[in-house]
Amino acid sequence: MVGPGVQGPTLNRRDSMNVFGYLRVSTEGQGESGLGLEAQREQIRLACEMKGWISTFREEVESGRKNDRPVLDGILADLRHGDMQGLVVSKLDRLARSIKQVDEVLRQSTKYGWTFCALDLGVDTSTATGRMVTNMIAAIAQWEGEMIGERTSAALQAKKRQDPDCLKRPDKAVGSKVVKYIVDGREYGLTYRAIAELLEEDGYVTAQGGKWHASSVRWIYKSDKA
């Protein structure tokens, strides 16, 4: 019997291949209680069993930093060195949060010759159909990046026409102490929302005298780094 989310008809058999089963939960609480991990493990185990693959599981509890995934980084390093031959996830969103991140993993899969499977979408790069899907994802990633760039540029130009001073340095708008507070918070691993809440608790106000939001914290951080 095939578990939930595993599309049996798309699975391809390639005997005796050693693969990583990557399990991830997004909060520390889920990681401690095991919620979500066992369901992912069972789906991957069943899929690998049908294919005749030998699976080694690695678990990751996501930290506050969006792109901080040391377990996945270690898996990719092992795959680059040829220690294993594939990577399997139960759902694509367990691997990455954006098309761009997925595209980077797929590029490594192609470059180093290992197989990638996302069971919820039936993506399997050991098959012709799976390779076609990865090409589509790569095209979408490129399109997404170009669209974001165009929208950002247009928005900044419009805002600048309305308020010529809107793009001035953030330290002149809110003070260098607040900028340092935000930068230090990000370096420590806090999310933009967490920093906004701390600024509120400590009595800091925005340049307009209003409440802090994750978007305003992000703008100041990105502007300071630009």
Side-chain angles (χ1 to χ4, degrees), residues 32-51:
E32 291 173 351
S33 65
L35 294 176
L37 287 175
E38 288 309 312
Q40 294 176 50
R41 185 190 303 275
E42 184 64 5
Q43 290 175 10
I44 293 172
R45 185 189 67 78
L46 288 170
C48 289
E49 186 177 285
M50 292 178 65
K51 289 170 171 285

Side-chain angles (χ1 to χ4, degrees), residues 45-99:
R45 185 189 67 78
L46 288 170
C48 289
E49 186 177 285
M50 292 178 65
K51 289 170 171 285
W53 294 355
I54 302 169
S55 56
T56 299
F57 291 98
R58 297 277 182 88
E59 301 176 5
E60 181 144 68
V61 177
E62 189 178 31
S63 71
R65 295 187 179 184
K66 183 175 181 180
N67 297 318
D68 186 13
R69 297 187 179 179
V71 174
L72 179 59
D73 290 341
I75 288 174
L76 295 176
D78 287 341
L79 288 167
R80 286 195 296 271
H81 296 150
D83 298 335
M84 303 283 272
Q85 292 80 52
L87 169 61
V88 183
V89 295
S90 60
K91 294 185 177 182
L92 197 60
D93 64 5
R94 296 299 84 196
L95 177 74
R97 293 187 180 186
S98 71
I99 286 290

Side-chain angles (χ1 to χ4, degrees), residues 100-116:
K100 183 177 180 181
Q101 290 175 319
V102 174
D103 180 52
E104 176 56 33
V105 172
L106 293 175
R107 287 178 184 275
Q108 290 198 38
S109 171
T110 300
K111 181 177 180 179
Y112 296 102
W114 48 266
T115 293
F116 171 72

Side-chain angles (χ1 to χ4, degrees), residues 52-217:
W53 294 355
I54 302 169
S55 56
T56 299
F57 291 98
R58 297 277 182 88
E59 301 176 5
E60 181 144 68
V61 177
E62 189 178 31
S63 71
R65 295 187 179 184
K66 183 175 181 180
N67 297 318
D68 186 13
R69 297 187 179 179
V71 174
L72 179 59
D73 290 341
I75 288 174
L76 295 176
D78 287 341
L79 288 167
R80 286 195 296 271
H81 296 150
D83 298 335
M84 303 283 272
Q85 292 80 52
L87 169 61
V88 183
V89 295
S90 60
K91 294 185 177 182
L92 197 60
D93 64 5
R94 296 299 84 196
L95 177 74
R97 293 187 180 186
S98 71
I99 286 290
K100 183 177 180 181
Q101 290 175 319
V102 174
D103 180 52
E104 176 56 33
V105 172
L106 293 175
R107 287 178 184 275
Q108 290 198 38
S109 171
T110 300
K111 181 177 180 179
Y112 296 102
W114 48 266
T115 293
F116 171 72
C117 290
L119 302 179
D120 60 330
L121 299 180
V123 174
D124 180 351
T125 60
S126 68
T127 70
T129 300
R131 289 188 291 273
M132 179 190 71
V133 172
T134 63
N135 289 334
M136 293 172 62
I137 290 176
I140 293 172
Q142 181 178 351
W143 171 82
E144 181 185 55
E146 292 175 354
M147 289 297 294
I148 290 173
E150 290 179 3
R151 287 197 300 269
T152 302
S153 177
L156 286 174
Q157 292 303 317
K159 193 171 182 63
K160 189 173 181 180
R161 286 193 295 270
Q162 295 172 2
D163 180 7
D165 295 327
C166 71
L167 300 181
K168 62 186 177 182
R169 285 185 57 81
D171 57 337
K172 294 180 180 179
V174 297
S176 58
K177 186 176 181 180
V178 172
V179 175
K180 186 176 186 302
Y181 190 109
I182 291 172
V183 172
D184 288 348
R186 286 298 291 166
E187 295 300 320
Y188 186 71
L190 298 178
T191 64
Y192 295 119
R193 177 174 293 183
I195 295 172
E197 292 174 354
L198 288 173
L199 286 167
E200 287 287 317
E201 291 176 7
D202 291 345
Y204 291 101
V205 296
T206 65
Q208 291 75 34
K211 293 184 63 175
W212 286 98
H213 298 284
S215 58
S216 52
V217 172

Side-chain angles (χ1 to χ4, degrees), residues 9-20:
T10 65
L11 295 175
N12 181 55
R13 188 176 182 87
R14 184 172 163 185
D15 291 338
S16 300
M17 186 163 71
N18 293 296
V19 301
F20 285 113

